Amino acid sequence: MSYPFHKATLEKRLAYEKVENARKAEAIATDERRALLEQRLAYEKAELVREEKRVAAEREAQAKREAEDASKLAAAERKAAVEKLAAQAKKEAEEASKIAAAKQEAERKAAAKRLAAQAKKEAEEASKLAAAEQEGER
């Protein structure tokens, strides 16, 4: 009679061990899933860090390009301003030259008028002297 009791005990023990083995297998599977998830999380964090570094490098490159563009624009604006000032200075120099030439021409004409007036006056005096001499000879 002890055999059925023994068989029942063995069956209970077998069932208990099956449950325990199932729990252990589930715990192992859970640990493996957790390890895989942690590994995946670490990989995604590393991907995120790489992406952030790439974006930071892109921003830095963009900022550098914008600084170079701004520098080129400023240089072009300075060059344009210098060219404009040079053109204005050339125009003013040409105008000053024209004014000086006109002033010199006016002075030359005034001197010619004075000389003409003086020559006319001397001619009149010479004519009067000649007339007086003719009067004196008569």
Side-chain angles (χ1 to χ4, degrees):
M1 284 211 217
S2 68
Y3 174 73
F5 175 75
H6 183 65
K7 184 179 177 186
T9 304
L10 288 175
E11 286 175 353
K12 282 183 182 179
R13 177 174 243 178
L14 183 61
Y16 175 77
E17 286 179 5
K18 281 183 182 179
V19 169
E20 280 299 310
N21 285 341
R23 283 186 193 149
K24 286 179 185 177
E26 187 177 331
I28 290 171
T30 302
D31 287 346
E32 288 174 355
R33 280 194 301 270
R34 181 179 295 122
L36 286 172
L37 288 173
E38 287 174 353
Q39 184 181 4
R40 184 174 176 189
L41 179 63
Y43 175 79
E44 288 179 1
K45 282 182 180 179
E47 277 293 312
L48 182 61
V49 167
R50 283 192 290 275
E51 181 66 16
E52 287 174 350
K53 284 182 181 178
R54 186 189 64 75
V55 168
E58 270 184 23
R59 286 184 183 157
E60 185 178 335
Q62 180 67 23
K64 188 176 180 181
R65 283 192 300 274
E66 288 174 358
E68 288 173 355
D69 290 347
S71 176
K72 287 177 184 176
L73 180 63
E77 288 175 352
R78 284 192 302 270
K79 183 180 178 184
V82 166
E83 288 173 353
K84 183 178 178 183
L85 289 174
Q88 186 176 352
K90 182 179 178 183
K91 184 178 176 182
E92 289 173 358
E94 288 173 355
E95 288 176 5
S97 176
K98 286 178 185 177
I99 291 171
K103 188 175 181 182
Q104 191 176 15
E105 181 65 21
E107 288 174 357
R108 187 188 64 75
K109 284 182 180 179
K113 271 187 176 178
R114 282 192 305 273
L115 287 175
Q118 187 178 355
K120 183 179 177 184
K121 188 176 175 185
E122 288 175 358
E124 287 174 358
E125 287 177 10
S127 175
K128 286 180 184 176
L129 284 175
E133 281 183 13
Q134 280 181 354
E135 272 302 311
E137 289 178 3
R138 287 190 192 167

